[in-house]
Amino acid sequence: MRWHKHGKVFSPNPEGWMHAYAQVPTPLVLSDRLRVFIGVRPRRPVGELPMSEIGYVDLDRADPSKVLGQSDGSVLPLGGLGTFDEFGLHPLSTVRRDGEIWLYYVGWTRMVSVPFNRAIGLAISNDEGQSFRRHSPGPVVGPTAQEPFLQQGPTVKFYNGHWHMWYLGGIEWLEHEGRKECVYQLMHATSDDGISWDRNGKTCLPTCEPTECHAGQGIIEREGRYHMWFSYRPALDFRNGLRGYRIGYAWSDDLVSWQRDDSRAGIDVSPEGWDSEMVCYPNILETDGRTLMFYCGNYFGRDGFGYASLVE
């Protein structure tokens, strides 16, 4: 399998409320369009630290290269004082359930000894994703005795009568050249209701090096076998084109144990342009007889997001 790139679809507008970045594109199928939720950074006063919020971009369902519109503001307000999502929100996975849209998102808060902590929240919409309300003020997946560090990057699917979540669990914090960097890798959880999750804090995807980091994963099923595309990078010195995110591939027959073979990913950085240094945060949508991958490029989506279609 390989992916055919269709180029960049959307770029942030420095003059608009989506001032910078368009991260972790998260698609939702509507009757006449594709609504893609993104993490954006509104303009902040000079000297203040950035914050991230969730907006959306509407794309033509027949031709996702065409932008039809975008949200006028955030679809979910930031969390309250002291909550896990007080300073930032990122969308990750949408699920339709009982006439509602469930959005699993990552919230983050600032820390003292390390830059941030993150956990996974659930928000619910009754108006096709124009606005959301929190399921609860706290996360649905947060720290445990086995997982003391951050949790982020969920992909949620319903397979074989159970809810499954693949998410990124923090392994350790490292200090390198004055920066604190977290190592986070793929873990798996199951649920009967999509709210309470059973997990063991064990990684489920092989790594190329002990401190490799994973981020974002898209999963599809073909004839009983499951296929995953995910982004990966070294934990240290990764803010450059040589060590930035790449997209890897793995397969599984049981949804838990994954066999990795990045040579079969079928997508890489381009020779030049918006995704010539990084490809990251793949999110896969199957609709209208096509399999589409929405993803970000250079510097973690600073310049926008694009998409590719699967050639089988």
Side-chain angles (χ1 to χ4, degrees):
M1 292 183 283
R2 63 182 177 85
W3 296 90
H4 171 70
K5 292 182 177 181
H6 295 272
K8 184 169 62 172
V9 173
F10 177 80
S11 299
N13 178 7
E15 303 304 320
W17 88 270
M18 295 185 185
H19 172 68
Y21 288 82
Q23 293 182 289
V24 287
T26 302
L28 173 71
V29 178
L30 303 183
S31 60
D32 62 342
R33 64 191 60 201
L34 302 179
R35 178 155 290 169
V36 181
F37 300 97
I38 51 177
V40 303
R41 299 187 189 182
R43 185 186 298 274
R44 299 278 289 162
V46 175
E48 291 194 11
L49 295 172
M51 302 172 78
S52 59
E53 300 189 46
I54 299 174
Y56 65 75
V57 178
D58 284 343
L59 307 179
D60 188 294
R61 186 164 167 171
D63 181 4
S65 298
K66 296 180 180 179
V67 175
L68 302 180
Q70 64 184 57
S71 62
D72 295 328
S74 178
V75 300
L76 179 69
L78 291 169
L81 183 66
T83 58
F84 79 101
D85 52 0
E86 179 180 359
F87 294 105
L89 311 167
H90 277 124
L92 267 302
S93 193
T94 59
V95 178
R96 285 190 176 273
R97 185 175 186 187
D98 299 330
E100 299 176 327
I101 296 166
W102 287 21
L103 172 66
Y104 292 88
Y105 71 94
V106 169
W108 60 272
T109 189
R110 296 194 176 106
M111 306 290 282
V112 175
S113 62
V114 295
F116 54 81
N117 194 26
R118 296 171 179 162
I120 298 168
L122 171 63
I124 299 172
S125 174
N126 295 102
D127 58 9
E128 294 294 90
Q130 294 185 64
S131 64
F132 287 84
R133 68 183 188 278
R134 282 172 175 75
H135 168 265
S136 57
V140 294
V141 174
T144 67
Q146 292 75 34
E147 298 178 57
F149 304 121
L150 60 82
Q151 293 76 38
Q152 63 180 22
T155 295
V156 177
K157 297 280 190 178
F158 190 78
Y159 286 130
N160 306 322
H162 293 280
W163 295 80
H164 294 263
M165 177 189 289
W166 296 267
Y167 67 100
L168 309 173
I171 305 297
E172 62 178 326
W173 281 91
L174 306 174
E175 187 166 5
H176 177 69
E177 296 181 351
R179 286 181 177 268
K180 309 289 179 58
E181 308 284 9
C182 190
V183 180
Y184 38 83
Q185 295 173 357
L186 195 73
M187 298 181 181
H188 176 252
T190 58
S191 175
D192 292 327
D193 59 8
I195 298 172
S196 298
W197 294 90
D198 296 322
R199 51 199 172 110
N200 58 19
K202 296 181 179 179
T203 59
C204 62
L205 180 68
T207 59
C208 294
E209 56 180 271
T211 59
E212 179 181 80
C213 290
H214 305 141
Q217 53 281 330
I219 297 171
I220 60 174
E221 184 268 339
R222 292 290 187 275
E223 299 178 352
R225 174 162 288 179
Y226 302 92
H227 306 266
M228 175 194 296
W229 286 264
F230 59 94
S231 51
Y232 66 96
R233 60 164 173 78
L236 305 176
D237 190 27
F238 56 86
R239 295 173 178 85
N240 61 73
L242 297 178
R243 292 170 60 84
Y245 275 118
R246 298 295 186 269
I247 292 178
Y249 165 83
W251 61 268
S252 175
D253 289 329
D254 63 5
L255 298 169
V256 179
S257 299
W258 294 87
Q259 310 300 313
R260 181 171 175 175
D261 185 354
D262 295 345
S263 67
R264 297 174 61 188
I267 187 169
D268 203 347
V269 293
S270 297
E272 58 183 9
W274 74 282
D275 63 350
S276 60
E277 297 180 1
M278 289 186 189
V279 283
C280 56
Y281 313 139
N283 202 318
I284 297 178
L285 174 67
E286 295 180 284
T287 184
D288 302 324
R290 299 169 298 173
T291 302
L292 308 177
M293 175 193 290
F294 294 89
Y295 69 98
C296 287
N298 300 347
Y299 213 81
F300 320 100
R302 181 178 58 191
D303 298 328
F305 73 87
Y307 86 101
S309 56
L310 185 62
V311 181
E312 301 189 57

